Amino acid sequence: MSEDIKNKTIRIGTRGSKLALWQAEHAAAKLQAAGFKTELVIISTKGDQVLDKSLDKIGSKGVFTEELEVALRQGQVEIAVHSAKDVQSSIPADLELVAFMEREQVNDVILSFDPNFKLERDSKAVIGTSSTRRRALLKKHYPNISTAESRGNLQTRLRKLEEKQFDALMLAYAGVVRMGYDNLIVHTFPEDEFVPAAGQGSVAIECARNLEPELKKGLKQALNHTQTHVCLLAERAFLRTMEGGCSIPSFALARLTDEGVSITGGIVSLDGKTLLQETMEGPTVTAEELGEELANIILNQGGAEILRSIKSEREE
């Protein structure tokens, strides 16, 4: 890599929450280890500003990414750091996802200040969550559970939990452990039953497509985790084919196997009564094709009807 590239300060666009800053600092540390200088640029997004509405009410497309993408286009930052599960299924043509960082454990978990809290089939607890997928899966597997909207950063949600606005919180393990709150975990959902959102547990790095090729190559070498990247290609192809964002109760999880890559994906109706889920496996070079094929199977099994039903319900 040329000295000009090495001497360039990489401006990292990030949201301002503690978790977003953890992710940006994690990326910065990797870049510094590779010899780059870094600077964090904090940018507020629509998802940070509108906290009195659920994600499906404010529109899921780019809720947590749009303002960061504007900064990329305008050359205010070289890269933007996102939670991979927040990135819309289709990236604008002038931008690209250059790297996916090594994935954390993917499971959904329950947090409570009561160490004796138990989640059982007949539980009647109120669980705080802002995820359409989690609400629908809870209705499927725990029909007596009630859910309450819990928008805001992790610290805000924990304050609401402390104020007893709900009995427990449902979150991604990755964010909880990264913020050091894993001592509050009272239940871990098995990943084959509560399949996570596409990208859950990974950090995505976005840049402008016209960024200098040598710089782009250096950023990818410093930040990309090859195994995670293969899995995310499959999951995001599934999501893209389903035409689902973070307000659609679809899910996908790919894993590397001895034979290549395996992907489990599906969708659940909002009332939890219909769950469609399938698994496919193939060579790693076909990761994206596998994701697309799996999505088409789910759509043909009734997934398209579930999506139509959700759309018409939200238009009412």
Side-chain angles (χ1 to χ4, degrees):
M1 199 181 308
S2 70
E3 282 305 309
D4 283 349
I5 295 293
K6 280 276 189 170
N7 289 329
K8 187 174 180 63
T9 297
I10 305 301
R11 294 166 297 173
I12 302 171
T14 175
R15 295 164 59 202
S17 72
K18 285 187 179 180
L19 181 55
L21 289 171
W22 182 97
Q23 294 175 163
E25 286 161 0
H26 182 53
K30 293 276 188 190
L31 289 170
Q32 289 161 17
F36 289 102
K37 294 192 283 288
T38 63
E39 175 192 339
L40 298 192
V41 179
I42 297 173
I43 297 166
S44 180
T45 69
K46 185 178 180 181
D48 300 309
Q49 296 156 13
V50 183
L51 296 175
D52 59 345
K53 295 180 182 176
S54 61
L55 290 176
D56 54 351
K57 296 290 191 297
I58 59 176
S60 62
K61 193 173 182 183
V63 165
F64 293 114
T65 60
E66 190 174 359
E67 290 77 4
L68 290 161
E69 291 181 335
V70 168
L72 286 172
R73 288 192 182 98
Q74 295 179 348
Q76 297 167 7
V77 296
E78 277 68 46
I79 60 172
V81 176
H82 311 291
S83 291
K85 69 182 177 64
D86 291 339
V87 180
Q88 64 268 36
S89 54
S90 295
I91 299 297
D94 58 339
L95 303 174
E96 67 178 288
L97 295 175
V98 70
F100 293 103
M101 300 185 72
E102 185 171 5
R103 196 174 213 166
E104 180 54 85
Q105 183 178 317
V106 298
N107 306 68
D108 290 320
V109 294
I110 293 285
L111 272 64
S112 176
F113 287 112
D114 175 8
N116 298 313
F117 180 90
K118 293 279 191 298
L119 189 68
E120 293 165 339
R121 175 77 180 169
D122 58 354
S123 292
K124 293 186 176 177
V126 178
I127 306 291
T129 176
S130 60
S131 161
T132 308
R133 173 188 61 86
R134 290 178 184 137
R135 282 198 299 268
L137 286 173
L138 281 170
K139 285 178 182 174
K140 170 70 178 174
H141 297 290
Y142 299 90
N144 296 319
I145 285 283
S146 301
T147 58
E149 185 62 44
S150 67
R151 292 287 318 285
N153 61 39
L154 182 51
Q155 289 72 25
T156 299
R157 296 183 197 199
L158 285 169
R159 178 176 51 73
K160 291 178 180 178
L161 179 60
E162 206 163 15
E163 292 169 352
K164 297 188 166 42
Q165 292 188 28
F166 20 77
D167 299 309
L169 265 174
M170 187 172 178
L171 297 162
Y173 173 86
V176 173
V177 74
R178 286 166 179 164
M179 290 291 92
Y181 292 113
D182 40 318
N183 61 307
L184 297 177
I185 295 174
V186 293
H187 184 88
T188 300
F189 292 96
E191 63 195 50
D192 56 345
E193 186 177 62
F194 275 69
V195 182
Q200 185 159 304
S202 179
V203 175
I205 309 297
E206 190 176 20
C207 71
R209 194 169 286 280
N210 64 2
L211 192 68
E212 195 173 344
E214 189 186 0
L215 176 55
K216 200 185 292 185
K217 183 180 176 184
L219 293 172
K220 184 167 187 172
Q221 285 176 343
L223 296 170
N224 195 52
H225 185 253
T226 305
Q227 293 92 326
T228 300
H229 197 148
V230 170
C231 293
L232 268 284
L233 285 177
E235 292 171 27
R236 287 187 53 76
F238 175 88
L239 188 68
R240 190 165 55 248
T241 308
M242 292 291 290
E243 297 187 346
C246 56
S247 70
I248 297 297
S250 66
F251 46 83
L253 177 64
R255 307 173 182 88
L256 295 188
T257 66
D258 292 341
E259 287 73 37
V261 61
S262 166
I263 177 170
T264 297
I267 190 168
V268 56
S269 59
L270 294 180
D271 61 9
K273 289 179 179 173
T274 306
L275 174 69
L276 304 174
Q277 182 172 318
E278 297 289 344
T279 299
M280 294 187 68
E281 190 166 349
T284 54
V285 291
T286 65
E288 288 192 271
E289 289 90 339
L290 274 175
E292 290 171 11
E293 189 177 346
L294 180 60
N296 282 317
I297 288 170
I298 295 295
L299 288 168
N300 290 330
Q301 284 182 352
E305 181 53 43
I306 291 175
L307 287 171
R308 275 194 296 273
S309 171
I310 291 170
K311 187 177 179 185
S312 65
E313 190 175 317
R314 287 179 178 163
E315 286 173 349
E316 288 175 2

